[in-house]
């Protein structure tokens, strides 16, 4: 489904730029405004979600963190969101021609993706309420000890190639790059899931947030 583009939360953009809590000056504000305008023209936001039985996705080797997140759940909701190939092309072009604007556009795209994922999740939650079901939060491959290899089966279950033009590379990365997949659990009783935390994160050794004494939730 097509999604409505909405402006990125500026605080989130600054967090992606490594400047959380900073008040931007006029020059930076103008840079971010330019990035937003260019991204809005280039992006084609689309998303999909689907409620499926647990057997629809083989989670045998998906890690203990995801298993803990889905504990008590009797079903799954899979979702995928992308900004489209135009956004990727724009960022690549700017990274070669204007490094500062390229970085600002990349951070803006990540912040916009956060909002779009919230929109798709909200649709799934409306459906769940109508069915008398409860949902956990989102959990994406690559988080905690959940391997990126799960992207292949997840995208296959959602048929993202035909539905969104979203594929998975041999390196298990999503393309277009500004895309997100996620798994939520469904249950007939309240469930919240369980976040993995830094201790099990696959990126803990190279995480830019940890180097600054922060976490990705800050």
């Amino acid at each position: 489904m097509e999604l409505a583009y909405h402006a990125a939360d500026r605080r989130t953009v600054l967090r992606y730029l490594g400047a959380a809590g900073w008040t931007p000056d006029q020059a930076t504000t103008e840079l971010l405004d330019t990035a937003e305008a260019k991204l809005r023209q280039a992006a084609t936001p689309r998303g999909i979600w689907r409620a499926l039985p647990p057997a629809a996705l083989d989670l045998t080797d998906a890690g203990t963190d995801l298993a803990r997140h889905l504990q008590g759940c009797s079903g799954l909701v899979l979702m995928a969101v992308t900004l489209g190939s135009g956004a990727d092309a724009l960022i690549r072009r700017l990274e070669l021609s204007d490094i500062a604007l390229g970085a600002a556009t990349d951070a803006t795209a990540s912040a916009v993706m956060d909002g779009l994922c919230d929109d798709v999740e909200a649709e799934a939650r409306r459906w769940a309420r109508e069915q008398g079901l409860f949902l956990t939060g989102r959990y994406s491959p690559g988080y905690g000890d959940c391997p990126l290899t799960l992207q292949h089966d997840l995208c296959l279950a959602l048929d993202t190639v035909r539905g969104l033009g979203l594929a998975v590379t041999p390196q298990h990365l999503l393309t277009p790059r500004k895309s997100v997949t996620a798994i939520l659990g469904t249950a007939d009783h309240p469930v919240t899931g369980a976040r993995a935390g830094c201790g099990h994160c696959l990126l803990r050794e190279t995480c830019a947030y940890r180097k600054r004494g922060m976490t990705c939730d800050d």
Side-chain angles (χ1 to χ4, degrees), residues 169-189:
T169 71
Q171 294 75 36
H172 322 304
L173 302 177
L174 299 177
T175 180
R177 185 166 59 93
K178 290 302 178 182
S179 303
V180 170
T181 61
I183 303 167
L184 301 89
T186 66
D188 59 4
H189 59 278

Side-chain angles (χ1 to χ4, degrees), residues 19 36 43 81 92 127 132 141 164:
E36 183 87 64
V81 179
R92 286 195 301 268
W127 166 83
L164 303 178

Side-chain angles (χ1 to χ4, degrees), residues 42-113:
T44 52
R46 303 184 69 188
I48 188 174
W49 68 271
R50 187 171 296 167
L52 296 169
L57 195 63
D58 185 2
L59 301 178
T60 304
D61 298 315
T64 57
D65 290 324
L66 179 58
R68 186 169 61 251
H69 185 73
L70 298 175
Q71 188 172 0
C73 295
S74 56
L76 301 174
V77 165
L78 307 184
M79 58 175 281
V81 179
T82 183
L83 277 180
S85 58
D88 273 18
L90 171 66
I91 294 170
R92 286 195 301 268
R93 186 167 65 252
L94 291 175
E95 286 173 341
L96 295 175
S97 62
D98 189 326
I99 295 176
L101 184 55
T105 305
D106 188 285
T108 299
S110 295
V112 170
M113 282 296 302

Side-chain angles (χ1 to χ4, degrees), residues 14-20 207-214:
L14 291 172
R15 178 168 61 84
Y16 278 116
L17 285 170
C207 178
Y209 292 110
R210 294 186 72 223
K211 290 178 181 178
R212 299 195 301 271
M214 304 168 60

